[in-house]
Amino acid sequence: MDKRSNQPMRIAILSGGDSSEHLISVKSGGQVKNWLEKAGHTCYPVVVKGAEWTVREGNRQRQVDKNRFGFQGDHGFIAFDFAWNVIHGTPGEDGRLQGYLDMMGIPYNTSNHLSSALTFNKYTCKTFLKQHQVLTPEARLVKKDMEADLEEISDIVGIPCFVKPNNGGSSFGTTRVMKFEHLEQAIETALKEDGEVIIERYIKGTEVTCGLMKTKDGFTVFPITEIVTDNEFFDYEAKYTRGKANEITPARLDEDMTKKCQQAASLIYDLTFSSGIVRVDFIIKGNQLYFLELNSIPGMTAESIVPQQVECMGVPMEVIFQQVIDNAML
């Protein structure tokens, strides 16, 4: 493993994955390649789909040798020095890929396998953070083939409520339920995406999200983004269709609430043992700040929220990426 992070490296950009966000991840990978090349590194796009890992070298597509984490090129074997993971969902966001990279001794840009598994499971993450006095909407978990008392659940979380796949970073399978009689169908929809479903209290308020990272020099907390959409919520269409959401950076918050959001995001980052760049989502109602979820691999297309926040800071994205690499190499 090359510990000289100030030197050009051979970086595998891992994108794709096995979730519904495969194509968005590949798009993120293309943008990440541009920024890492600006930082002076040699990048190899690796598309992951199940057991199939393919890398493009020039106009040729080759198989990745997972026993050596590299590939056979025209002029010999090329071993990767670093992995930049932009896979949303499994295996990139749930800790599986991180476990493999740890076993191979390959440094990478994200949280480790334990932290990734924790934050990917929405219900477990919320339950864990509640023990540390982090305010979060009331929720209940339903599993496939499990008997669930929907009336009891609705009494606890209330109607309207959100029904979401429990393990997943996208909004596929998510429904805002406005009537009790629609709850069962919403659960069935979510179960098509995941074997576990989280039913969460709906809180009407201002949705904001805070990107941040931590290095040996401390936290870099990005400007907060306020999300306004005419859709029922910030769903897949609102996230990835231009004009469907208004993402306002910096958010229209007063100084006290801005500080409260940024401090809460930093606390949650530490409590969940996070590393690299993450994004923490909140709902603000009155003076109360409710944690929704932590995205350990936020989108990195040119239109994604974190790049917007970094641009608002006036810092080139390649500078931020190099800081992530330097920290991972410590």
Side-chain angles (χ1 to χ4, degrees):
M1 182 173 72
D2 187 353
K3 288 287 187 181
R4 301 167 299 162
S5 58
N6 61 329
Q7 297 295 317
M9 303 176 74
R10 296 180 298 273
I11 299 180
I13 301 174
L14 300 159
S15 69
D18 303 324
S19 80
S20 301
E21 286 190 284
H22 179 97
L23 293 179
I24 293 296
S25 172
V26 172
K27 186 177 179 183
S28 284
Q31 184 61 61
V32 165
K33 181 175 182 289
N34 293 337
W35 286 319
L36 288 173
E37 286 178 343
K38 284 183 180 179
H41 303 288
T42 302
C43 298
Y44 298 90
V46 176
V47 176
V48 174
K49 186 67 174 175
E52 186 90 352
W53 294 23
T54 56
V55 59
R56 184 167 292 280
E57 183 192 29
N59 295 323
R60 299 192 64 179
Q61 191 164 286
R62 305 178 187 276
Q63 296 296 315
V64 172
D65 182 346
K66 293 192 281 289
N67 291 319
R68 294 190 286 172
F69 196 55
F71 69 97
Q72 188 65 41
D74 288 333
H75 305 290
F77 189 81
I78 296 174
F80 304 128
D81 302 315
F82 193 93
W84 195 282
N85 175 12
V86 288
I87 296 175
H88 308 304
T90 189
E93 205 168 1
D94 57 3
R96 298 182 187 188
L97 183 59
Q98 289 84 348
Y100 160 76
L101 293 169
D102 284 338
M103 287 191 297
M104 296 298 295
I106 302 295
Y108 50 90
N109 62 304
T110 71
S111 302
N112 66 20
H113 67 284
L114 174 63
S115 174
S116 298
L118 170 64
T119 56
F120 190 64
N121 186 305
K122 295 181 179 71
Y123 186 76
T124 300
C125 187
K126 283 163 62 75
T127 302
F128 171 76
L129 290 173
K130 279 175 72 174
Q131 296 173 0
H132 294 274
Q133 288 70 56
V134 173
L135 189 63
T136 184
E138 194 65 50
R140 287 295 181 269
L141 186 71
V142 173
K143 297 183 179 181
K144 192 173 185 178
D145 301 325
M146 162 185 161
E147 286 291 329
D149 188 332
L150 298 188
E151 289 192 3
E152 181 184 9
I153 290 172
S154 67
D155 286 343
I156 294 169
V157 304
I159 300 289
C161 63
F162 276 107
V163 178
K164 314 173 185 177
N166 187 46
N167 299 281
S170 75
S171 298
F172 282 108
T174 297
T175 306
R176 189 172 81 177
V177 175
M178 304 302 293
K179 297 180 179 180
F180 174 77
E181 51 264 34
H182 298 159
L183 182 57
E184 186 173 3
Q185 179 58 53
I187 292 172
E188 291 176 7
T189 298
L191 284 171
K192 293 176 183 175
E193 290 289 323
D194 183 39
E196 296 180 341
V197 172
I198 182 172
I199 304 170
E200 184 179 65
R201 177 171 293 167
Y202 167 68
I203 295 176
K204 186 174 176 60
T206 302
E207 185 171 355
V208 298
T209 185
C210 181
L212 69 162
M213 68 178 189
K214 191 176 185 180
T215 67
K216 61 181 177 59
D217 299 317
F219 277 109
T220 299
V221 184
F222 308 150
I224 297 167
T225 297
E226 177 183 350
I227 299 166
V228 181
T229 177
D230 291 332
N231 289 23
E232 287 190 346
F233 59 96
F234 194 46
D235 59 8
Y236 186 86
E237 182 186 42
K239 286 179 181 178
Y240 299 117
T241 305
R242 188 180 295 275
K244 287 292 184 179
N246 190 14
E247 296 158 0
I248 303 166
T249 309
R252 298 170 297 183
L253 305 176
D254 61 34
E255 186 177 346
D256 287 344
M257 184 53 74
T258 297
K259 186 177 293 185
K260 187 174 183 178
C261 283
Q262 292 178 325
Q263 288 175 342
S266 301
L267 173 65
I268 290 165
Y269 188 107
D270 275 346
L271 287 172
T272 56
F273 320 105
S274 293
S275 299
I277 300 169
V278 310
R279 213 188 69 224
V280 186
D281 298 344
F282 299 100
I283 284 283
I284 301 169
K285 182 178 182 180
N287 197 41
Q288 297 282 7
L289 182 68
Y290 293 85
F291 165 77
L292 294 179
E293 60 185 84
L294 185 151
N295 189 335
S296 66
I297 303 185
M300 286 294 168
T301 69
E303 300 81 21
S304 294
I305 290 174
V306 164
Q308 291 180 42
Q309 294 177 343
V310 172
E311 183 180 6
C312 184
M313 290 171 59
V315 179
M317 201 69 185
E318 58 267 26
V319 172
I320 295 293
F321 277 17
Q322 187 60 51
Q323 291 174 1
V324 171
I325 292 172
D326 292 342
N327 197 66
M329 300 298 290
L330 292 176

